[in-house]
Amino acid sequence: MVDILPQRKIKGRGAISNRAGRFESKERVAVDDGWQMAEEDAPKLRTTLSVDRARSIISYNDSPDVGFDRSINPYRGCEHGCIYCFARPTHALLGLSPGLDFETKLFYKPDAAALLAEELRHPNYRPATVAIGTNTDPYQPVERERRLTRQLLEVLAEFRHPFGIVTKSALVTRDLDIIGPMAARGLASVTITVTTLDGGLTQRLEPRAAHPKRRLAAIKELQTAGVPVSVLFAPVIPALNDWELERVLEAAASAGADGAGYVLLRLPLEIKQLFSEWLETHVPDKANRVLSLIRQTRGGALYDSTFGQRMRGSGPVAQLLEQRFKTCCRRLGINRRSRALSAGQFRAPPVAGDQLKLL
């Protein structure tokens, strides 16, 4: 009889396993056959990048609990490796694992900027704020070389199209030469996600994301440049980082953030098992407590996908969290002004061969 091998931490990666996605009929399990390799002999997981030949770049939604109806994601998968990422299950649609595959097998859309320009020029297109980075981070490490997000911003600036960016990377400040002038026109805003101020916890939860100090520095740099910037405390994980809510909001406000939000931990589909594995590996003494409190905010389950509930939860634990958030925002004087961006300045720039208008 062989023994199933225990899951092991992998340096620089968030997931503990690479379990098959929900559409696969078979699953592979590592076992000890007596020839188990030493941990230092295990092959290193390297990031691969493949082309995603998308036919369109703007995704539309009619969800009543999000503040936008369209978004752009130039990448599939995310090397940041955040174990809690609610986008992980999308890798199952590609026949890949939402676990380690999600953070090591990435896809990029090389035609993203050209597709965007084409869609914005369509005669039936009606402008509204487009959210960038709502699924996977637009400023993950690969963006340093591919520069797809920057190319998208260049197109949006050319069309004077409003956009909002959500990221946990300090790399966003690289594009201040575009974001700053757009913000001055009321066409751009940025939200920086700060999950914890504990660098050690960041390395385990979000192994390849920016250190909290770098994110706060990015907030300050954005604010100094005149860009409306908010902080997103997400996800809130009961018994793990929930106690930091006030600390994170205070630090972000001191850095210049004048808006804030939070999202309760979401565990849809395969993420339930991936997150449970992570808890048992990294914080085994807290695992049962964390899962118990999550169930208390989700009607006894680990997740509730109901609109209006999925972001905030329900019950006393969730209600207390909401009260703390609102009280802290009032004390800090944030969330006092509208975050709405202007869509009235949109115009398609002329291209070679266009007929000039008389008026």
Side-chain angles (χ1 to χ4, degrees):
M1 182 177 179
V2 294
D3 295 323
I4 296 177
L5 291 176
Q7 303 295 348
R8 295 180 298 181
K9 305 173 187 177
I10 301 177
K11 185 177 181 180
R13 302 299 180 183
I16 305 301
S17 71
N18 207 35
R19 295 182 181 276
R22 60 194 180 280
F23 301 116
E24 306 306 306
S25 59
K26 297 180 180 179
E27 182 172 351
R28 296 180 180 181
V29 178
V31 297
D32 182 4
D33 59 359
W35 294 88
Q36 182 180 353
M37 294 184 297
E39 188 167 349
E40 59 269 18
D41 296 329
K44 293 183 178 180
L45 285 175
R46 301 191 180 279
T47 302
T48 63
L49 192 61
S50 302
V51 171
D52 179 0
R53 293 296 181 188
R55 296 183 178 180
S56 61
I57 194 65
I58 302 178
S59 299
Y60 292 89
N61 76 84
D62 57 1
S63 301
D65 57 353
V66 296
F68 54 88
D69 70 350
R70 64 199 71 187
S71 60
I72 297 176
N73 292 283
Y75 302 102
R76 289 193 185 192
C78 184
E79 200 174 3
H80 281 161
C82 306
I83 186 58
Y84 53 76
C85 182
F86 62 80
R88 283 183 177 272
T90 61
H91 248 45
L93 300 172
L94 304 174
L96 298 172
S97 171
L100 289 167
D101 280 350
F102 177 80
E103 52 196 276
T104 60
K105 296 182 178 180
L106 311 183
F107 298 83
Y108 74 105
K109 303 171 184 178
D111 302 326
L115 289 171
L116 178 59
E118 180 181 351
E119 292 178 47
L120 296 185
R121 287 187 184 281
H122 194 283
N124 293 331
Y125 182 77
R126 298 294 178 267
T129 299
V130 62
I132 304 175
T134 56
N135 204 36
T136 55
D137 203 306
Y139 286 103
Q140 59 183 291
V142 69
E143 169 62 17
R144 292 186 178 89
E145 298 177 2
R146 294 297 167 178
R147 300 171 71 87
L148 295 184
T149 297
R150 182 173 178 85
Q151 293 170 24
L152 290 169
L153 296 183
E154 289 172 344
V155 172
L156 292 168
E158 189 177 13
F159 281 77
R160 297 183 185 176
H161 192 292
F163 63 83
I165 298 172
V166 181
T167 182
K168 54 171 61 75
S169 173
L171 184 59
V172 64
T173 59
R174 177 200 66 184
D175 296 332
L176 267 174
D177 59 319
I178 301 174
I179 300 171
M182 288 290 280
R185 289 177 172 268
L187 296 173
S189 65
V190 175
T191 297
I192 301 291
T193 301
V194 179
T195 313
T196 174
L197 298 181
D198 182 344
L201 181 56
T202 296
Q203 289 182 340
R204 290 176 287 166
L205 269 178
E206 312 160 331
R208 298 199 177 192
H211 190 280
K213 290 182 179 179
R214 293 188 63 203
R215 302 186 210 183
L216 293 173
I219 290 175
K220 184 175 183 60
E221 190 171 349
L222 288 162
Q223 190 274 336
T224 301
V227 178
V229 57
S230 297
V231 62
L232 181 63
F233 181 50
V236 181
I237 306 174
L240 193 63
N241 74 337
D242 59 330
W243 65 275
E244 291 190 81
L245 185 150
E246 289 83 2
R247 294 177 68 233
V248 168
L249 295 186
E250 289 165 359
S254 295
D258 64 355
Y262 76 94
V263 178
L264 187 65
L265 177 68
R266 299 170 60 186
L267 297 176
L269 303 171
E270 292 93 344
I271 307 179
K272 295 183 183 69
Q273 190 169 19
L274 290 169
F275 186 70
S276 295
E277 291 173 348
W278 184 92
L279 287 173
E280 292 292 345
T281 302
H282 288 281
V283 286
D285 57 322
K286 295 183 178 180
N288 290 335
R289 176 62 173 163
V290 171
L291 294 177
S292 173
L293 287 170
I294 291 172
R295 287 190 173 92
Q296 291 178 46
T297 67
R298 301 295 187 186
L302 283 178
Y303 187 53
D304 179 1
S305 62
T306 305
F307 289 134
Q309 297 290 335
R310 57 180 183 162
M311 306 286 192
R312 295 287 187 264
S314 60
V317 174
Q319 291 169 3
L320 178 59
L321 180 65
E322 182 177 13
Q323 291 173 3
R324 288 172 55 200
F325 174 77
K326 291 180 177 178
T327 298
C328 189
C329 286
R330 285 195 299 267
R331 175 169 59 84
L332 296 174
I334 55 181
N335 282 347
R336 288 184 174 179
R337 70 173 186 173
S338 171
R339 315 298 293 184
L341 301 176
S342 168
Q345 302 174 54
F346 176 82
R347 55 100 174 98
V351 295
D354 278 357
Q355 183 177 355
L356 296 178
K357 295 181 180 180
L358 295 176
L359 297 176

